[in-house]
Amino acid sequence: MKPKVIFMPHANIQYSQLAPEKRLWVMKNCYEKLFDLIDGGDYKIAFEASGITIEEMAKQAPEVLAKLKKLVQEGKVEPVSSPYIHFMLSNIPKQVCVHSLKHALDVWEKYVGKRPKIGWNPECGWASYIPEVYKECGLEALVMDADSLMLSFDEIRRATGLAFDVQGHSNKNHLFKIEEYIKDKPQFLKFITNPSVAPNGLKMIFRSDCMANLLLWYLMGATEGMREEPINMNEIRNMLGNWQERIAQTGSFIMPYAEDAEYIGSSAYFYVKQFNQARFFEEEPDSVVRFKEILDAAKEAGYEFATPSEVLESSEIIENPYVDNIENGVAWHGGTAKAWANTEYSRIMDPVCMSILTGINAVAEKIGWNDELHNAMMALASAWVSDSRWPPAPTSPGRFNVRESLDDMYLANDCIAKAMEMGGIAEKRGLYSPNLMKTQIKAIDDKLMGMSYFGE
């Protein structure tokens, strides 16, 4: 049997520094070009998107969404879902995660006609309850970060010298050290080349920056500051060949690209993340051509394009007793979810969000759940969006990213007030005081809007 290969671009229309007025441009310049590429060739991929990304496509670019729907119907694209809002699941209460993920699945089914069976965890932020969230929402499998799993083994941590720090952005450009250590160790390679199953029964497919980072730098045509020439196609072919040998010895597939769909057609966040430059979502037409070159190179190397579900159906699924060893608070790129929770924006906004959630639950306990309380939960989840809290100094989110979260807090507070009126308990302000909370939101509004933001 041919080794299988999964490519999974993932889309997030709430990206930090992606101005609302440019979101349509990303849909046309990135998502549509990707869909046209897949439609025009003998390719098959997975495509992940948050619920709000699908909904915004339906509103702003229905012709782009129609192309995605067609590819899903034809089996050339498998839909993969994250929560409705792109937030860091491990930094917020499980209740909010479940509510948002269930809504996202409804949105996919409504607009694309198919309910995803595979889940994606934004930024791969980890806490022990993550598998329970996806299992509770009815998903069969979750795409996971192999580097977080590998770094849960002390011997790999020691051998690579990689360490986590809540103030660190990432170890992304150093994760090749993991590959160097495990390349001849089947006891580790098998978790990257086989699907596995967590103790709770949720199936898992692992992606790794050992492969994805190389492909990203090739897409951007950039250097890493340590070489004169950009990564070339021979390096990509060598990487595919190396992993083909490892698959033959240990498993059945690899997932070399589970990265942002926005890098196919634009520079997305590349120059901010790598060089602290105020350059956001510049047009990168050559990256579309290069992504096709990567797909063609995989095909020429003898790989068979597959979706996550096809891999699960055709492969041996091994037990994975090490999932619970992944460190609470880590994220992909060798970074940490707690870094998102430790920015100035998070430290100001998160306590207010928690107060609003406490109010929602107090009112719901008194009168039961009604439409306004559900609306409040939706607005609160939106206020928790990760990209209004990232990145840390010397860069920052866009002012508009923070503004949207503040507006969502006001909306959630208003919805709770309406719910209390509908339930006949408006006077029971011991449960929750919308008027007082409004002044709390205004206080952090003044503080956050009084700050300066990167790129202004």
Side-chain angles (χ1 to χ4, degrees), residues 315-353:
S315 303
E316 177 188 3
I317 300 174
I318 62 176
E319 298 289 329
N320 193 336
Y322 303 109
V323 172
D324 289 337
N325 295 357
I326 299 174
E327 196 160 345
N328 184 301
V330 303
W332 70 344
H333 303 336
T336 68
K338 291 187 182 298
W340 269 261
N342 277 282
T343 63
E344 186 172 7
Y345 319 97
S346 295
R347 288 172 174 172
I348 294 171
M349 289 191 284
D350 287 358
V352 180
C353 287

Side-chain angles (χ1 to χ4, degrees), residues 47-168:
F47 181 76
E48 185 276 327
S50 62
I52 195 171
T53 301
I54 295 297
E55 202 166 71
E56 286 301 307
M57 266 197 277
K59 293 175 182 176
Q60 298 190 45
E63 71 283 3
V64 177
L65 184 66
K67 292 182 178 183
L68 172 60
K69 186 175 182 179
K70 172 179 176 288
L71 290 169
V72 170
Q73 290 173 338
E74 293 173 349
K76 297 192 73 174
V77 169
E78 176 167 21
V80 177
S81 184
S82 59
Y84 179 77
I85 296 297
H86 186 278
F87 47 45
M88 189 65 77
L89 276 75
S90 59
N91 289 349
I92 64 177
K94 178 183 173 183
Q95 175 191 3
V96 182
C97 301
V98 171
H99 188 274
S100 186
L101 183 53
K102 285 182 176 179
H103 183 63
L105 293 170
D106 291 341
V107 167
W108 267 100
E109 191 168 22
K110 175 181 177 180
Y111 290 106
V112 183
K114 188 170 183 179
R115 196 173 187 87
K117 296 189 297 182
I118 312 296
W120 168 252
N121 172 13
E123 317 293 345
C124 298
W126 189 254
S128 62
Y129 57 78
I130 299 298
E132 298 301 328
V133 167
Y134 285 83
K135 188 81 181 296
E136 182 176 340
C137 293
L139 287 155
E140 178 183 350
L142 177 63
V143 176
M144 295 279 293
D145 179 54
D147 306 316
S148 297
L149 176 68
M150 294 297 114
L151 290 173
S152 71
F153 293 96
D154 289 339
E155 68 177 278
I156 296 178
R157 191 89 67 95
R158 287 193 300 268
T160 60
L162 297 173
F164 294 116
D165 185 334
V166 299
Q167 295 184 2

Side-chain angles (χ1 to χ4, degrees), residues 133-273:
V133 167
Y134 285 83
K135 188 81 181 296
E136 182 176 340
C137 293
L139 287 155
E140 178 183 350
L142 177 63
V143 176
M144 295 279 293
D145 179 54
D147 306 316
S148 297
L149 176 68
M150 294 297 114
L151 290 173
S152 71
F153 293 96
D154 289 339
E155 68 177 278
I156 296 178
R157 191 89 67 95
R158 287 193 300 268
T160 60
L162 297 173
F164 294 116
D165 185 334
V166 299
Q167 295 184 2
H169 195 141
S170 76
N171 287 302
K172 188 176 178 68
N173 292 331
H174 302 283
L175 294 177
F176 68 89
K177 295 177 182 178
I178 295 176
E179 182 178 6
E180 285 298 311
Y181 184 72
I182 68 172
K183 63 184 179 183
D184 58 352
K185 296 178 176 61
Q187 69 269 32
F188 298 126
L189 289 171
K190 68 181 181 180
F191 291 112
I192 300 178
T193 61
N194 292 282
S196 56
V197 60
N200 76 331
L202 184 72
K203 297 169 186 174
M204 297 184 162
I205 291 174
F206 284 86
R207 52 82 64 199
S208 171
D209 274 329
C210 295
M211 292 173 268
N213 199 37
L214 187 75
L215 300 186
L216 173 57
W217 282 93
Y218 181 69
L219 286 177
M220 294 296 96
T223 66
E224 297 185 45
M226 295 181 289
R227 50 190 289 160
E228 294 181 359
E229 298 293 330
I231 289 168
N232 60 58
M233 180 48 67
N234 284 335
E235 293 174 82
I236 303 298
R237 293 191 184 99
N238 287 339
M239 181 270 287
L240 291 169
N242 290 337
W243 279 98
Q244 203 166 23
E245 294 176 10
R246 294 163 190 162
I247 292 170
Q249 296 171 7
T250 64
S252 62
F253 82 98
I254 54 170
M255 178 181 267
Y257 193 88
E259 261 284 3
D260 300 349
E262 293 80 9
Y263 286 127
I264 303 168
S266 88
S267 64
Y269 210 54
F270 184 78
Y271 293 100
V272 190
K273 183 178 292 184

